[in-house]
Amino acid sequence: MAVLRVLLVLAFAGEASSVQQPACSYLSLLRHLKLDTANHLVSITRPVRNWTTPTWVWVDMLLHGILKVDEKAQTVSSHVWRHMSWSSEFLTWNSTEFCGIEYLTVPTSSIWIPDVSILEDVSDTGSIYTSPVVKLHHSGFASTTARQRLTTACRLGLRLFPFDRQQCNITFLSTSSEASSIHMGALNNGSVLTHVAERFMSTQGEWDLRKMDIAVDYLRSGESFSSKVVYMVFLARKPMLYVINLIVPLLALLVLDLASFFIHEARGEKLSFKVTVLLSISVLLLVLQDMLPSTEDRLPMIASYCVAVFGLVGVSVLEAILVGYLIDLDAYFGRTAQTSAQRDKQPEDAHLGEPAAAEEKLQVKPEQSDLPLDGLQQILQAVAVLREEAERRVKERGDGTYRRMAEIIDAVFFVLYFVAVAVFLSYMYAAWVSHAML
Ligand SMILES: *[C@@H]1O[C@H](CO)[C@@H](O)[C@H](O)[C@H]1NC(C)=O
């Protein structure tokens, strides 16, 4: 009986203690934090006892993907997770008093949240997902997360396209609060962020994340300063597609044009070949036009490259036209010289016969020169042969002058052209492509 009584007493004692300490429920904690009723005051004021105490706001950003870089609009779209935490002097509790509760989640509308926004943000509002709850820690730290398809304005330098590197800043700042009331800080440093981003990056497109850096700074607007955290994202473009689609074909066309100097002139194929090369280059120029914005002040290197290749091949087409013209001129003079020679030759041929025959006579009959009539005829024949020879020489000179001139022009131009192409290509390499290797 005594044992039963003891047990009963123990049971009642246990029950009584559980009535006295109902602090294991979230409800009691909410009551302790005065969040049980719609406590408006907690959500509208900065949670400090003395107004001069600044509130620290820590931001963290995880770059989850680079979706698109728009060269024409000068924007970068990325997928980011944003994390923000701040300290509250009112929302603290001793976790031992509440059965070890360390974390509590409350709706975002019930407490004060710093108004941190991104300076470069140009995304539409539909692309942001903010967590509806705030997570509270017993030490007074509150934190929220947001997931966003973030489009930021970024001034893209396209001079070295497609070997360009971009630096885009993502600036977190509190637009309505001064630095005296809100201090901004970063939770992680740049190398940690780079490492984490590299691990969790789901998509990078044609870009490569080189590194991320963080700068904590002040933004001055008039007399007031506001604190800001700048995330500097360094991106490098993967240039292979453009190299294969544009740079290498243009180079190949330039080499083809150089090779076309070895096509024989007289065939008339050289000019049409060169014009075909020129047309192919202009097709590639159309591709380029789609890729680059027209807003660039300084001409991108790739545009200079295309225009220079076009210009070089254009000049070589002009040269081919000139050489073709000279050869035609030569053929024309050669023909007129021939016809005039034939016109002069026609009446004499009647009694002088073939020049070859005359020559033969000249060679064959020197020992029969004892007769005076024969001697006279021999002299006449010799004169005719000499004249024939002289005429042929004259004709050949008229024939050869322009052709030789064309050949000289072609050779000199080829050398100059080769040197120009070599200088141009090495300049392009030094000023442009070598940047990709750094
Ligand atoms: C990005 O921010 C850093 C630090 O404030 C600054 O030095 C740099 O000029 C900024 N870059 C751009 C592109 O705005």
Side-chain angles (χ1 to χ4, degrees), residues 18-92:
S18 74
V19 167
Q20 265 174 1
Q21 291 182 331
C24 290
S25 68
Y26 287 125
L27 214 58
S28 55
L29 181 54
L30 283 175
R31 227 170 268 141
H32 168 77
L33 298 174
K34 302 193 180 67
L35 290 171
D36 52 340
T37 53
N39 191 347
H40 204 47
L41 291 180
V42 178
S43 65
I44 61 169
T45 53
R46 196 156 61 84
V48 285
R49 293 200 165 76
N50 183 345
W51 75 275
T52 52
T53 314
T55 301
W56 276 96
V57 176
W58 306 91
V59 290
D60 196 19
M61 186 188 76
L62 170 62
L63 192 63
H64 208 254
I66 298 158
L67 303 176
K68 189 171 187 291
V69 174
D70 190 337
E71 283 89 11
K72 299 211 185 217
Q74 302 264 304
T75 56
V76 176
S77 296
S78 49
H79 185 213
V80 296
W81 284 85
R82 292 155 57 179
H83 181 88
M84 179 169 71
S85 50
W86 63 95
S87 57
S88 165
E89 292 185 3
F90 304 136
L91 303 177
T92 58

Side-chain angles (χ1 to χ4, degrees), residues 168-184:
C168 290
N169 281 1
I170 299 177
T171 309
F172 288 84
L173 82 171
S174 168
T175 39
S176 60
S177 313
E178 292 193 4
S180 54
S181 58
I182 285 190
H183 279 342
M184 303 277 297

Side-chain angles (χ1 to χ4, degrees), residues 141-153:
F141 263 100
S143 59
T144 69
T145 54
R147 176 158 54 80
Q148 187 176 4
R149 187 199 153 121
L150 179 69
T151 305
T152 49

Side-chain angles (χ1 to χ4, degrees), residues 84-380:
M84 179 169 71
S85 50
W86 63 95
S87 57
S88 165
E89 292 185 3
F90 304 136
L91 303 177
T92 58
W93 68 92
N94 189 346
S95 61
T96 51
E97 283 176 26
F98 293 93
C99 280
I101 298 179
E102 291 199 330
Y103 288 102
L104 177 69
T105 49
V106 295
T108 42
S109 57
S110 59
I111 66 165
W112 177 86
I113 289 178
D115 65 324
V116 170
S117 58
I118 294 174
L119 192 65
E120 294 89 357
D121 193 355
V122 290
S123 21
D124 39 8
T125 48
S127 61
I128 184 165
Y129 168 80
T130 320
S131 166
V133 293
V134 178
K135 195 172 173 187
L136 301 175
H137 189 245
H138 67 87
S139 61
F141 263 100
S143 59
T144 69
T145 54
R147 176 158 54 80
Q148 187 176 4
R149 187 199 153 121
L150 179 69
T151 305
T152 49
C154 178
R155 205 174 147 63
L156 304 166
L158 294 174
R159 185 155 165 76
L160 295 178
F161 177 91
F163 303 109
D164 52 336
R165 271 132 204 247
Q166 307 295 347
Q167 183 198 342
C168 290
N169 281 1
I170 299 177
T171 309
F172 288 84
L173 82 171
S174 168
T175 39
S176 60
S177 313
E178 292 193 4
S180 54
S181 58
I182 285 190
H183 279 342
M184 303 277 297
L187 270 186
N188 286 312
N189 64 17
S191 56
V192 170
L193 277 183
T194 313
H195 183 71
V196 169
E198 272 167 3
R199 264 197 73 194
F200 292 100
M201 196 83 121
S202 55
T203 164
Q204 299 196 54
E206 63 168 316
W207 293 88
D208 206 15
L209 179 76
R210 296 196 67 84
K211 64 169 178 165
M212 284 175 78
D213 248 337
I214 296 178
V216 180
D217 205 353
Y218 292 95
L219 182 78
R220 196 197 157 119
S221 52
E223 282 301 295
S224 64
F225 289 90
S226 47
S227 174
K228 66 173 182 180
V229 173
V230 186
Y231 282 80
M232 288 173 272
V233 182
F234 295 85
L235 301 172
R237 195 189 296 268
K238 296 175 190 159
M240 224 45 202
L241 184 73
Y242 302 97
V243 170
I244 288 168
N245 266 355
L246 204 64
I247 296 172
V248 168
L250 277 173
L251 197 65
L253 288 172
L254 196 60
V255 170
L256 273 184
D257 188 52
L258 270 174
S260 74
F261 279 91
F262 298 102
I263 297 178
H264 194 260
E265 196 62 57
R267 296 250 197 87
E269 284 165 3
K270 188 170 171 178
L271 188 61
S272 55
F273 182 83
K274 279 180 184 264
V275 170
T276 314
V277 169
L278 197 67
L279 275 179
S280 322
I281 292 173
S282 53
V283 170
L284 287 174
L285 283 180
L286 284 183
V287 176
L288 179 73
Q289 191 204 348
D290 276 349
M291 289 185 312
L292 289 181
S294 53
T295 53
E296 196 70 6
D297 305 332
R298 294 168 75 203
L299 202 62
M301 292 299 265
I302 195 164
S304 321
Y305 173 71
C306 291
V307 169
V309 169
F310 190 82
L312 281 171
V313 175
V315 168
S316 100
V317 166
L318 283 180
E319 189 265 350
I321 290 173
L322 176 68
V323 167
Y325 174 73
L326 283 178
I327 285 168
D328 279 353
L329 206 64
D330 186 69
Y332 172 74
F333 277 119
R335 220 176 303 123
T336 46
Q338 213 166 12
T339 47
S340 68
Q342 268 165 8
R343 218 186 309 116
D344 290 351
K345 219 162 60 182
Q346 219 66 51
E348 288 168 34
D349 277 353
H351 40 84
L352 277 177
E354 290 293 303
E359 211 167 332
E360 203 181 347
K361 279 176 202 163
L362 194 69
Q363 281 171 357
V364 170
K365 297 182 176 176
E367 62 268 19
Q368 295 175 351
S369 63
D370 45 347
L371 286 168
L373 197 66
D374 271 0
L376 198 63
Q377 205 171 3
Q378 217 171 332
I379 289 166
L380 270 176

